[in-house]
Amino acid sequence: MKAEVRVADVGREDIVLGSGGGIRRRMRLYRLPDENPTVRMQLRRRIRLRDARDNALYVCVTQEDGHLIWSSPIYLFR
């Protein structure tokens, strides 16, 4: 992958650069705020569950530095 992006063009919204290849490699560029007072988040989501079987649900959070945090599976039976 080869691209040129001016530093002045990098803001808080993602610029996604990627190849059309089969493994979907891509790079995301964005600028972090100078200060981030946010310490909590809440999300509500409706998820369709399959009947009469286990439903394994995971939570994945992207941290400010780009690292991912994955939960253990949460199993729901309907």
Side-chain angles (χ1 to χ4, degrees), residues 11-26:
R12 291 201 181 127
E13 296 297 319
D14 291 4
I15 297 173
V16 180
L17 306 170
S19 64
I23 61 172
R24 298 184 342 171
R25 292 187 309 172
R26 63 181 183 235

Side-chain angles (χ1 to χ4, degrees), residues 12-50:
R12 291 201 181 127
E13 296 297 319
D14 291 4
I15 297 173
V16 180
L17 306 170
S19 64
I23 61 172
R24 298 184 342 171
R25 292 187 309 172
R26 63 181 183 235
M27 180 175 12
R28 291 175 46 215
L29 301 172
Y30 55 94
R31 185 178 305 234
L32 296 175
D34 292 332
E35 293 182 25
N36 187 357
T38 305
V39 294
R40 293 182 186 185
M41 185 191 91
Q42 182 176 352
L43 173 72
R44 291 178 187 229
R45 174 87 46 174
R46 290 187 181 269
I47 299 173
R48 290 187 182 168
L49 301 177
R50 295 176 288 186

